[in-house]
Amino acid sequence: MSKSAYDFGRASAKALGDRPSRAILHKAIGHIRVLRQRSVNAMPDFPERQARAVAVRDKTLARLPDLLEALEAKVTAAGGNVHFAETADSAAALITKLLADRGVRLVVKGKSMVSEEIGLNDALAAAGIEAVETDLGEYIIQLAGQRPSHILAPALHVSKEQVSELFARKFGRTSTDIPEMTRIARDSLRQKFLAADAGITGCNIAIAETGTVTVLENEGNIRLSASCPPIHVAVMTLEKVVETLADAAVVLDILPPSATGQTLPVHLSFFTGARREGERDGPKEMHLVIVDNGRSEILADPVLRSILRCIRCGACLNVCPVYQSVGGHAYGTVYPGPMGSVLSPLLKDNPGDPRQPFACTHCAACAEACPAGIDHPALLQELRRRVSAGESDPAVTAFSLLARHPLLFGGAAALGRTFDPKLTEVAAVAPESPVGRFLRGRAFPGLSRPFSRRFKSLARRLSRKQGGRS
Amino acid sequence: MEAFLFIPCLVEHVLPQVGEATAMVLSRVGLTPVMPKGQTCCGQFAYKRGRADLVRPLARRFVEIFGDAPAIVCPSGSCTAMVRRYPSLFAEDDPWHARAGQVAAKTFELGQYLVEQLGVTDLGARFDGTAALHASCQTSRVLGAGSPTEALLAKVAGLTLVPLARPERCCGFGGAFSVDYPEVSQAILTEKIDDIVASGAEAVITAEPSCLLNIASALAKRELPIRPLHLAEVLVGGMA
């Protein structure tokens, strides 16, 4: 087993010790799951919508370089600028330089996971540029000095009471009434929107035929970030493009229901280029930064490519028993849960624990929930295969060798039966040993006299009974 | 007609009563259960570790042992699912690919075999009491054999199935997962046990021996008077 920089097992055991956080997480995820299920149940044709979306995502991936080229041409024609960044660092450096060159001091940001992926806030801070998150959840996390724990609901793990305490500390003004708390955050954020020199947003879908960046939100802050300041920088990963407006509609058919259980979000914005002559609002300058960070290699991989179908709805996180138990922070990566366990190890930066693909029970709830038809367990299985190819696994190898020889296999079991009662003793004297950790919540079942040895007399009994009946 | 028993290693060495019940159920529907010699393990543990190379020799053994069987019946969804994957372990032009395909096509999980192959749902079984059904991920999601389990239990006289919160939720075993990540595994298991307790059921039934073992060991640790039962054990209940 290779020594890893990050240990999910240790981090998750620690996360499990934090009972209040686990309780908050459970309640919040349970709520999202109910909303999603209700919304999917309300669409009898959801499977057809899903099939159309999978087809659009696959068509997109098959033609990705062409679509990106078309997107670039259309964005440019609409007065925007397109930049390609190969790595996370170069993406962050590119955006930082772009803003620093224009004398930007304050940036308002709409929620964007890719900006987390490229470490944008840290890069901006190092250049003396203040970046303020304006999504309420993201803002809370930023004020608390944390990282998002969910790709959709960054502050999923934080309770109302914790936010109230945080606001008291940061603003000297607080409440536990949610509308009032929202007002407190809004009062602070409004000033930032008005004062900002630039706005940074993510991008849910980019449309190649029109050069349009599409974002979904419920709060209106992404719209303000993109249109209030004189400069708008949108960041996307390269697989977010689709060919046509009609294709975007197909993805929009499944994204909000799978994510928040909404038919459509409160705000659905389409930004095409910069402010044109005669127009009264919108940014004077618009930049679209397209980040690769390992995705070209994923695209070229026939087995793993389908992870790029992901539309970031978070449905897989919300049904994953592992994610639900330990929360997003334990993964140590930007993208947690099933989609993150596949994607993170393939990205260039912050891949987390290399054994992450093994931290899965193979329950397949993620694949069942995924509206983009991603078979996460199969992809995790492929990643396991690749990790294992470079390692020796003595226990599994020994077991397999024994299993090739029934006599040895039976002998080993007989030996096991002799030492059986000892295992509980081992657990008692060495609670931190693998046996001890395994038996903490379980009583050891013990090995029995094999079934095959009982079979002969059983078969005789059964045949007598059958004979007697007929 | 004969039906060959595919007895998973967990059943052979830890839960032999499940093997016995399986043989009795098959006999009940008029089949002669046959226990071919030399069975060990289907290789699922190595497969989940990403070691298809270590599964291949076990798959070849399985194909040789069961090649002549008219039907292969297994009281485990996950082991059946493993055998169904055997062809994918071999290149398409490898003769083993086709042989594995033939064997995979006649391998069935017990409930699936009874309901989908034989068209039997009522075995005349009796179970007096309440029980919760734990729908194993491997049986229901991966193998798609969840509804046969339900159809069979619906015909058990005296049995009252009580609803389990999130019946489809994983019990946290996941084979090597429970050894590699014991704390996470037990956190997931604890919730399953809490749901079972909250259901008020006197017994918990599942068609998957690994889930059964996991749940049973936690019930025993907590000294809870809830009986963990395999589907086959319920189906032989009250048999004369």
Side-chain angles (χ1 to χ4, degrees):
Chain A
M1 211 177 283
S2 74
K3 230 181 134 179
S4 61
Y6 188 83
D7 186 341
F8 174 76
R10 197 169 298 160
S12 53
K14 200 170 149 223
L16 286 166
D18 184 353
R19 287 178 186 276
S21 293
R22 282 186 64 203
I24 298 164
L25 185 73
H26 264 268
K27 208 173 141 199
I29 296 190
H31 182 63
I32 302 184
R33 239 188 2 249
V34 169
L35 293 178
R36 174 187 164 263
Q37 202 51 52
R38 200 183 292 159
S39 133
V40 171
N41 290 348
M43 296 179 189
D45 62 340
F46 193 79
E48 289 92 68
R49 294 178 190 225
Q50 184 179 350
R52 282 197 293 271
V54 172
V56 162
R57 292 304 295 142
D58 274 347
K59 180 183 84 170
T60 302
L61 294 179
R63 307 192 39 209
L64 201 56
D66 292 346
L67 296 183
L68 289 171
E69 213 169 284
L71 177 68
E72 182 183 18
K74 291 290 180 181
V75 171
T76 311
N81 307 278
V82 177
H83 315 264
F84 287 91
E86 211 182 305
T87 64
D89 287 348
S90 63
L94 189 153
I95 297 169
T96 307
K97 182 171 184 310
L98 194 150
L99 296 179
D101 285 351
R102 286 158 180 77
V104 170
R105 303 301 303 269
L106 175 66
V107 172
V108 280
K109 283 183 70 199
K111 185 185 173 302
S112 152
M113 287 309 284
V114 64
S115 79
E116 300 283 340
E117 179 184 327
I118 64 177
L120 186 55
N121 287 5
D122 289 345
L124 291 174
I129 299 171
E130 187 193 356
V132 180
E133 295 291 347
T134 62
D135 171 89
L136 183 56
E138 194 88 25
Y139 187 47
I140 290 165
I141 293 306
Q142 190 180 34
L143 287 174
Q146 295 184 10
R147 300 275 176 214
S149 68
H150 189 283
I151 59 167
L152 209 78
L156 188 80
H157 61 289
V158 185
S159 73
K160 190 172 77 174
E161 290 71 25
Q162 287 168 334
V163 176
S164 174
E165 283 168 34
L166 179 72
F167 281 8
R169 252 195 348 266
K170 295 285 174 181
F171 304 126
R173 189 183 150 202
T174 198
S175 172
T176 47
D177 173 48
I178 288 185
E180 179 57 23
M181 288 164 81
T182 315
R183 212 165 292 135
I184 295 171
R186 188 184 297 139
D187 285 348
S188 161
L189 286 172
R190 276 287 150 89
Q191 297 165 23
K192 303 288 185 186
F193 281 123
L194 293 172
D197 309 305
I200 297 177
T201 71
C203 163
N204 288 101
I205 305 167
I207 303 162
E209 78 172 342
T210 55
T212 302
V213 166
T214 308
V215 288
L216 285 69
E217 59 172 330
N218 286 317
E219 298 171 6
N221 55 64
I222 302 183
R223 176 175 290 200
L224 281 171
S225 299
S227 53
C228 225
I231 303 167
H232 172 209
V233 179
V235 196
M236 63 179 268
T237 50
L238 48 80
E239 81 281 13
K240 291 272 183 130
V241 67
V242 296
E243 187 177 0
T244 62
L245 195 55
D247 286 348
V250 170
V251 176
L252 286 171
D253 237 8
I254 54 154
L255 177 51
S258 307
T260 49
Q262 293 166 293
T263 311
L264 273 180
V266 177
H267 298 277
L268 174 57
S269 307
F270 293 78
F271 302 117
T272 309
R275 186 191 299 192
R276 278 164 284 268
E277 252 186 62
E279 286 181 347
R280 293 181 56 189
D281 51 19
K284 292 188 180 113
E285 249 184 78
M286 192 270 176
H287 299 270
L288 177 61
V289 180
I290 302 175
V291 181
D292 184 325
N293 197 27
R295 288 171 176 83
S296 292
E297 278 173 46
I298 304 174
L299 187 69
D301 189 316
V303 187
L304 299 174
R305 161 191 275 206
S306 63
I307 190 61
L308 295 181
R309 281 190 205 148
C310 178
I311 55 168
R312 305 288 186 272
C313 69
C316 63
L317 274 62
N318 302 334
V319 296
C320 174
V322 175
Y323 177 88
Q324 278 175 62
S325 294
V326 303
H329 288 155
Y331 290 78
T333 50
V334 174
Y335 306 103
M339 55 79 60
S341 294
V342 178
L343 184 61
S344 303
L346 300 170
L347 297 179
K348 297 288 176 213
D349 66 309
N350 190 19
D353 186 335
R355 296 193 67 80
Q356 191 67 52
F358 294 85
C360 153
T361 67
H362 260 234
C363 80
C366 45
E368 187 179 70
C370 179
I374 299 171
D375 187 355
H376 306 85
L379 301 182
L380 290 169
Q381 186 57 36
E382 174 63 12
L383 288 170
R384 290 180 183 195
R385 191 186 67 72
R386 294 182 189 186
V387 171
S388 297
E391 286 181 346
S392 67
D393 196 339
V396 171
T397 309
F399 194 92
S400 164
L401 288 173
L402 283 177
R404 288 175 216 177
H405 307 282
L407 277 176
L408 288 180
F409 197 75
L415 201 66
R417 281 198 294 284
T418 319
F419 287 101
D420 222 20
K422 295 268 187 285
L423 284 177
T424 311
E425 290 172 35
V426 170
V429 297
E432 290 309 314
S433 67
V435 177
R437 288 167 69 207
F438 182 81
L439 289 181
R440 204 161 290 158
R442 300 180 178 95
F444 192 69
L447 294 166
S448 301
R449 183 164 171 259
F451 166 73
S452 53
R453 298 246 201 100
R454 309 174 179 204
F455 182 74
K456 212 172 253 177
S457 67
L458 174 69
R460 267 199 303 272
R461 248 179 22 243
L462 291 175
S463 90
R464 266 204 305 275
K465 213 189 282 178
Q466 254 182 2
R469 221 183 21 230
S470 54
Chain B
M1 195 178 91
E2 290 181 337
F4 280 37
L5 291 172
F6 161 25
I7 299 297
C9 51
L10 211 55
V11 172
E12 165 79 355
H13 294 291
V14 188
L15 301 164
Q17 71 276 15
V18 172
E20 290 188 10
T22 304
M24 287 161 77
V25 168
L26 292 174
S27 168
R28 179 79 177 184
V29 295
L31 295 166
T32 306
V34 174
M35 176 75 187
K37 281 199 168 54
Q39 292 186 53
T40 55
C41 166
C42 67
Q44 193 183 167
F45 71 101
Y47 181 79
K48 299 258 167 91
R49 274 293 177 95
R51 293 297 300 269
D53 58 319
L54 295 175
V55 188
R56 243 170 254 128
L58 302 183
R60 283 192 209 101
R61 288 196 70 238
F62 189 96
V63 168
E64 285 188 330
I65 292 171
F66 287 98
D68 297 331
I72 304 155
V73 183
C74 177
S76 159
S78 68
C79 298
T80 304
M82 183 67 238
V83 171
R84 296 273 177 93
R85 283 188 204 106
Y86 277 171
S88 72
L89 299 174
F90 302 99
E92 280 186 26
D93 56 354
D94 184 333
W96 283 101
H97 179 89
R99 290 183 68 186
Q102 284 156 11
V103 167
K106 56 184 179 183
T107 302
F108 305 95
E109 182 269 334
L110 174 65
Q112 190 182 39
Y113 183 67
L114 293 171
V115 176
E116 291 171 3
Q117 296 299 306
L118 303 183
V120 177
T121 46
D122 191 347
L123 285 122
R126 177 157 202 100
F127 180 95
D128 289 304
T130 57
L133 169 65
H134 164 65
S136 147
C137 309
Q138 295 288 319
T139 307
S140 52
R141 277 198 205 100
V142 178
L143 193 65
S147 45
T149 311
E150 288 176 29
L152 288 161
L153 290 179
K155 296 286 183 171
V156 175
L159 169 65
T160 308
L161 274 183
V162 295
L164 183 68
R166 304 174 294 171
E168 76 301 337
R169 195 178 192 261
C170 176
C171 72
F173 188 64
F177 174 82
S178 61
V179 180
D180 292 342
Y181 303 95
E183 290 82 8
V184 188
S185 168
Q186 283 166 59
I188 299 170
L189 174 58
T190 298
E191 282 186 53
K192 181 54 79 178
I193 301 296
D194 288 346
D195 285 352
I196 293 168
V197 171
S199 77
E202 294 155 349
V204 54
I205 303 169
T206 172
E208 175 60 40
S210 46
C211 298
L212 181 67
L213 188 68
N214 195 34
I215 290 170
S217 68
L219 290 171
K221 181 84 173 190
R222 289 214 215 168
E223 298 179 352
L224 289 167
I226 298 169
R227 287 174 69 197
L229 292 167
H230 188 277
L231 169 69
E233 293 177 278
V234 178
L235 295 180
V236 294
M239 273 189 189

